[in-house]
Amino acid sequence: MQHGYVDDKDALLKRLKRAEGQVRGIHKMVENDTYCIDILTQVSAATKALETVALQLLDDHLNHCVAQATREGGPVADEKLKEASAAIARLVR
């Protein structure tokens, strides 16, 4: 079975690399006693980068996995909808 994000995998990996670099940069900022507001600005940027990845994964999941399950119907469809709803709830907390 192919995951829904397969078509966006390269873009997702690129975004994750960028977020990883941002987190390393934040680590260095703390080590170097950088002004707290400047660190918070970078934390916000890293958070936004990860949120973008999460939203892309969610969109791919809905358009691929959930859509396929709903076409098939039955308990698998119900489970995929519950799973997607739970994922959305985690993202908005």
Side-chain angles (χ1 to χ4, degrees):
M1 182 178 127
Q2 214 173 27
H3 295 292
Y5 61 83
V6 71
D7 292 337
D8 296 316
K9 187 174 180 178
D10 290 338
L12 289 169
L13 290 172
K14 185 177 178 180
R15 287 185 182 278
L16 287 168
K17 270 277 198 227
R18 183 177 302 136
E20 181 181 7
Q22 288 172 316
V23 171
R24 277 196 302 269
I26 293 166
H27 186 270
K28 288 179 186 177
M29 292 174 82
V30 171
E31 283 183 334
N32 296 332
D33 297 322
T34 302
Y35 184 57
C36 45
I37 295 300
D38 295 336
I39 296 170
L40 288 169
T41 299
Q42 291 307 309
V43 168
S44 177
T47 300
K48 187 68 172 170
L50 288 174
E51 286 174 351
T52 300
V53 169
L55 290 172
Q56 182 63 55
L57 285 168
L58 179 61
D59 187 58
D60 290 340
H61 180 67
L62 291 171
N63 288 313
H64 180 265
C65 303
V66 175
Q68 181 179 341
T70 56
R71 282 191 295 273
E72 294 171 10
V76 173
D78 293 339
E79 182 59 33
K80 289 292 181 188
L81 288 170
K82 287 179 189 174
E83 194 178 71
S85 181
I88 294 166
R90 285 191 301 274
L91 286 173
V92 298
R93 282 190 205 142

